[in-house]
Amino acid sequence: MARYYRLWWILIATLAITFGILGYFGREVYREAPPIPGLVVTEDGTPLMSKDSILDGQTAWQSVGGMQLGSIWGHGAYQAPDWTADWLHRELMAWLELAAQDIYGKPYETLSGAQQNNLQYELKQAYRSNTYDAAGDMLVLTQRRQRAIERTANYYDRLFGGSPELQPTRESYAMKELTLPDPDRRARLTEFFFWTAWAASTERTPDGATYTNNWPHEPLVGNVPTAENIVWSIVSVVLLIAGVGGLIWAWSFMRGQDEEEPAAPAKDPLTSFRLTPSQRALGKYLFVVVALFVFQVFLGGFTAHYTVEGQGFYGIETSKWFPYTLVRTWHIQSALFWIATGFLAAGLFLAPIINGGKDPKYQKLGVDILFWALIAVVAGSFIGNYLAIAQVMPPEWNFWLGHQGYEYVDLGRLWQIGKFTGVVLWLVLMMRAIVPALMQPGDKHLLALFTASVVAIGFFYGAGFFYGERTHISVMEYWRWWIVHLWVEGFFEVFATAALAFIFSSMGLVSKRLATIAALASASLFLLGGVPGTFHHLYFSGTTTPVMAVGATFSALEVVPLIVLGHEAWEHWKLRNRAPWMDQLKWPLMFFVAVAFWNMLGAGVLGFSINPPIALYYIQGLNTTATHAHAALFGVYGFLALGFAILVLRYIRPAMVFDEKLMKTAFYGLNGGLVLMLFTSLLPVGIIQFVASASEGLWYARSESFMQSNLLETLRWVRTIGDVVFIIGALAVAWQVIKGLLDRSEQRPLENQPIQPGIHDKMPARAAVGSQLAMNEAQPDSICCGSCGGSH
C-alpha cells in the first residue's frame, strides 16, 4: 500500500510540474506571438492592409478548408503547397525581378553571378529587417516590396479564382475550380498569406531569428537552422539515450521480485455479471464504430487518389461535388469519431461491472441519448463541412456551422460544443457507476486512476474553446495541440492503460497489485514527456527559443516508455494461454498486441524521427509527418478502439464465436496494408521530399513541378496496393462485428460450479467492483463465456 502512495505522489508531482511548464510557456506564446500590424503602409503612407483585413483573410482561408488545403507554417495537408513557403519564395523572386529591372534594366536570370549576388544581399537585408513600429502598431514597406506583393497576390487571386490558364496547377494541387468565388475575400486571403510569410522572414530582434525561428528553409533570405535549433536537437538525442538507459536500469533493479501469477479462474469472471440493459444497448455503438471506420478507409483511398489525379477519380471529375479538401476533412473527422466511439463504448461497458453488475438508474436512457447525440454531431458536422467548402454557407456562419479550418478540429464550433456536451454526458454516465464503487471498502487505487483518466477525457476536450474564429494563429495552435496531443495522445493513453489493467485484473489473469503499480508508473512516464512535449508541435509557429528547448527536451522523453512496449505486447500475448476460456478473447488480445507494436514503431521510432528541431526544420509539412500520423493514429488508437469494440462485442453477444478466417483476414490485412502504405509510398516520398527541402527549400519540396515528377507520381500510385490490402482488412473486421451483432442466440445460464479453493481471495474482480456475485455462480441471464459454443 505504501508503494501505491509513493507512485500517486510521483504522478501528482509529475502533473503539477509538467502542467506548470506548459502553462508558463503558454503565457510566452501569448506574449511573443508575431504581431499583426494594426496598419500596413508604404513609405509614402499609402495604406495597404490592416489587422482586420488580415484576420478577414484568415477567415476566408478557414472557409475553403484551411489546413485541409495546403498548409500554413507547416501544419495541414501535403498536396497543395505550404502557402507560407510558397508565397515567400514567389514574393522574393518577384522582388529580385523588379530590382533587376530597376537597377540593371534587364531580367534577373540574365544578370552575371556578381550582380545576382549583390541583389540577393540587398534582398536579405530588405526582408529580414523588422520595420514594424510597435508604438504606432504600424508596418512600413518599401515601394518595391509593395509591387512584389501585388505581383504575388495577382497569382493567388487567379489560382483561387478559377483562371483557365492555371487549371493544370489547380489539378496538381488537388484544388477544385473556383475555390473561392468572392474576389474581395480572395484579396483578403492574399493579405493573410502575406502576413504569414512576413512573420517567417522578419527577424524578431536585430541579427536574431525570424518570428518562426528561421522556418521555412529559404536560402534566398537566409532562413537556415539557428544555433539553438542544432543545440537542442543534440540535447534531445542525448536525453533519449539517457532516458532509455535509465529506464532499463530502473526496470532491472527497482521492479523487485516478480510475483507469482494468480491462478486463473475456471470461468471468465466478467461472465458472472448479468448483461444489463445499458450494456445490451451498446450494439449500436459498435455498428457506428465499424460503419465510420469503413467510411473513413474508403475516403482515405479516395483522398490518396486525388494526389495523382487531382480533380477526378479515374476520369470522373468528382472535385465538382467532393473535392480533395472535403474528403480529407471527412477522412480525418470520421477517424476521430469512430475511435472516440470505441473508447466511449468500452467505458460504458465497464460502468455496470464497476457498479457491482447493475445499471445506475436511467443508465440505458443516458446511453441511448448519448448515441443519438453522437449521430447528430457527426451528421451535422459533415453537412456543415460540405456547405462551407462548396461556398454555399454564408461567410459569417462558416466558423460556427461549417468548417473551422484547423486540422483535427475541422467541425464547426456549434458541432464542437455538441461533441463536448456528449463527452461530458459520457463522463456523467461513468461517474454515476464509479462513485458508489469508490465508496466501498477495499483497494480502490486502480479504479481511482481509471476515474481520473475518465474525468480528464471529459474535460480536456474543452481546451478547443479557448480560441475563436479570429484568434491569432500562434495562440490557436497552442490550444489546438492541447486537443490533438494532450487529449488524444495523453489522456486517452492513460485511459487505455488503466482500462486494460482493470479488465485483466478483474478477470483474475494478472495480480491486481502489479496491475495497479504498472498503470500508475506508466501514467507518470507517459505524462512526464507527453505534457510539455506538446511544444514540439510549436517550434515554428511563432514561438520563441525557450518553447523550442522545452519541446525538444520533453518530446525525447516521450519516446522512452515506448521502448518497453515489446514487453507489454509479450505480456498480453501470454494471457491467451492463462485459461481455456481465454481462447474466446484471442482476437481482442491480438489487437492489443498490435497496439503495443505500433506504439513503439509509429509513435516511438517514426515519431522521434521528426521530433528533434533540426529534423522538423526540414521535414515539417512533408510526407514524413503523414507517415508518423498514419502509424500512430491508426496503429495505436485505431487498433485500440477496434480491440475495445470486439472485446465488448464478445460479451454483449455471448453466443458469438469469432470467425477465424475473417479475423485473420482483418488482423493481417490491416497490419500488412498499413506496412505497405507506409514503407512503399508515404515514407519514400517523404524522404525524397526531405532531400529536396534540405537542398533547395521547402517551397521546392512542395512545388508543383517536384510533386508531379514521374518518380513521386509512381510512388503515390504504388500506395494503391497497400490501400487495397488495408481495405480488405477493414471490411473483414466490419463484417465480423456486424455478424456478431446480428447473432442474438439465447444462451442458457451458466452451470453451477463451486468456487475453486484459493481462487476467491485472488480474484480482484469482486474487490474491484464491490460485487456480491459469486464468481462462477449461476445467474439468470448471465453471460456465457462462449467456450462451449453455446451447447450448455
Side-chain angles (χ1 to χ4, degrees), residues 305-350:
H305 187 79
Y306 269 141
T307 67
V308 292
E309 200 169 336
Q311 294 178 328
F313 188 76
Y314 294 102
I316 303 172
E317 194 178 348
T318 50
S319 64
K320 290 180 179 179
W321 310 284
F322 302 104
Y324 171 89
T325 309
L326 178 65
V327 295
R328 190 177 190 272
T329 298
W330 284 352
H331 174 63
I332 292 177
Q333 284 301 306
S334 56
L336 297 181
F337 280 128
W338 74 258
I339 290 172
T341 303
F343 276 72
L344 300 186
L348 293 172
F349 172 75
L350 289 176

